[in-house]
Amino acid sequence: MPIFIVGVPRSGTTLVRVLLGSHSQILALPETPWLTGAYGRELSLRELLQGLASGPYGPVRNVAGIEAEDVLAAGRHFLEALYGPVLKARGKNLLAFKTPADIRHLDFLTELMPGAFYVHITRDGRDVALSQLSKKGSFFKDLKEYRRLSFANAFRRWVDWEQRARSILARDGVRAI
């Protein structure tokens, strides 16, 4: 089962990914926004699996005997088939994912990978907001649903995402630190 490093952007998730990636048994991947659709409307594994499980033309609604759990199991097998060869080639046995915006889709991730381990990175929200403002010219031009980049909007997103992460990661059966 993989490790998911979760935290609001600019909270230290990249540093933790690099540190975990230096371990002899862990392959820490660069960001994988295609997994949950973290950065936009590109095709994501999450959207595909949700469409298959609950869409009007998906197999769960149209083929007797196929359940939503079968779709999730297929998603797990896909990830194993995709990353299994590189894990084997590099002599590693653990996979670590890190895409900060995945916090918005923790419900999906905990369903997809019920045995995964979550490392939740929390940095003071004021520091996160200031860090995002300082990166304004590079890649933080807006905050998507929080509109323009401002201290108040960055802090509001931090509060919302942290509350969501803490709520989901505190559920029974979710392995998180």
Side-chain angles (χ1 to χ4, degrees), residues 21-98:
S22 69
H23 190 281
S24 63
Q25 294 300 308
I26 299 174
L27 174 62
L29 300 171
E31 292 190 11
T32 54
W34 56 267
L35 185 62
T36 65
Y39 296 150
R41 295 294 308 155
E42 309 89 38
L43 180 62
S44 70
L45 182 61
R46 177 183 59 85
E47 287 177 337
L48 172 64
L49 296 178
Q50 286 175 338
L52 293 172
S54 60
Y57 307 108
V60 171
R61 286 195 176 177
N62 295 293
V63 179
I66 296 180
E67 304 292 330
E69 177 51 38
D70 299 322
V71 172
L72 291 172
R76 288 189 285 274
H77 291 301
F78 169 76
L79 290 173
E80 289 171 17
L82 184 63
Y83 289 111
V86 73
L87 283 167
K88 184 176 181 183
R90 296 184 187 181
K92 305 211 178 212
N93 59 20
L94 284 172
L95 195 58
F97 290 91
K98 187 250 10 156

Side-chain angles (χ1 to χ4, degrees), residues 144-162:
K144 306 281 185 240
E145 66 270 17
Y146 293 87
R147 293 186 230 96
R148 70 177 181 82
L149 178 63
S150 70
F151 181 86
N153 287 342
F155 187 75
R156 187 173 299 115
R157 179 177 73 173
W158 178 88
V159 168
D160 291 348
W161 286 15
E162 279 297 315

Side-chain angles (χ1 to χ4, degrees), residues 10 28 36 39 41 57 72 104 109 111-112 131 158 170 174:
R10 308 299 303 159
T36 65
Y39 296 150
R41 295 294 308 155
Y57 307 108
L72 291 172
R104 295 182 304 174
L109 290 175
E111 268 191 284
L112 178 65
S131 180
W158 178 88
V174 176

Side-chain angles (χ1 to χ4, degrees), residues 67-142:
E67 304 292 330
E69 177 51 38
D70 299 322
V71 172
L72 291 172
R76 288 189 285 274
H77 291 301
F78 169 76
L79 290 173
E80 289 171 17
L82 184 63
Y83 289 111
V86 73
L87 283 167
K88 184 176 181 183
R90 296 184 187 181
K92 305 211 178 212
N93 59 20
L94 284 172
L95 195 58
F97 290 91
K98 187 250 10 156
T99 304
D102 281 347
I103 275 185
R104 295 182 304 174
H105 306 292
L106 280 176
D107 280 327
F108 166 75
L109 290 175
T110 57
E111 268 191 284
L112 178 65
M113 298 289 187
F117 192 80
Y118 296 85
V119 178
H120 180 206
I121 306 302
T122 301
R123 179 180 176 193
D124 186 297
R126 296 165 295 186
D127 288 338
V128 168
L130 288 172
S131 180
Q132 288 178 349
L133 287 172
S134 73
K135 292 293 185 182
K136 181 176 173 175
S138 58
F139 55 93
F140 286 108
K141 293 180 176 48
D142 68 64

